[in-house]
Amino acid sequence: MMYVIIIAAVVIFWLLVLDRPVLYVHFKKGQLVKAKGHLPVTLKHNLTEIGHHSPFDGYLKAYQRREGIRLKFSPSVPKSIQQRIRNVFPFSGLKKSGTNQKSKR
């Protein structure tokens, strides 16, 4: 009986603590250094344009929630840049990686 409780605790801990963003983008001096997840071409273009005009360091993480997508920025990203990224981010068009995106007919 004790092993069932331990396994359940480990599973709950894993689900709550593990950081699993749908999209992760890392910036260095305004350049996109690393991107994990589905990064639409238009978003990539807009992010490089924002980084070109005002260079910054940091990261952007997008999490899929029930209410929609939530963006999280590193503290080093200025608030004005965060707002510019939020303005161009496609909240409705971001696909979750690993899912089948075929249309139903």
Side-chain angles (χ1 to χ4, degrees), residues 27-54:
F27 299 95
K28 192 150 206 148
K29 297 181 183 174
Q31 300 290 323
L32 271 82
V33 178
K34 185 178 188 182
K36 286 186 178 181
H38 176 70
L39 183 62
V41 177
T42 56
L43 178 61
K44 183 177 180 181
H45 173 73
N46 289 332
L47 291 176
T48 53
E49 193 70 26
I50 291 170
H52 177 71
H53 288 299
S54 47

Side-chain angles (χ1 to χ4, degrees), residues 19-28 31-40 43-44 46-48 50 56-63 69-77 81-91 94:
D19 188 29
R20 296 175 296 192
V22 193
L23 175 66
Y24 173 81
V25 182
H26 184 79
F27 299 95
K28 192 150 206 148
Q31 300 290 323
L32 271 82
V33 178
K34 185 178 188 182
K36 286 186 178 181
H38 176 70
L39 183 62
L43 178 61
K44 183 177 180 181
N46 289 332
L47 291 176
T48 53
I50 291 170
F56 63 96
D57 293 340
Y59 62 82
L60 158 70
K61 292 181 182 179
Y63 294 96
I69 294 184
R70 178 178 176 265
L71 298 180
K72 183 177 180 186
F73 296 91
S74 64
S76 61
V77 178
I81 302 297
Q82 290 181 18
Q83 186 58 50
R84 289 182 66 193
I85 292 173
R86 286 181 198 282
N87 290 344
V88 300
F89 197 84
F91 287 99
L94 192 67

Side-chain angles (χ1 to χ4, degrees), residues 100-105:
N100 190 359
Q101 297 296 331
K102 291 183 181 177
S103 63
K104 294 180 182 178
R105 294 182 188 186

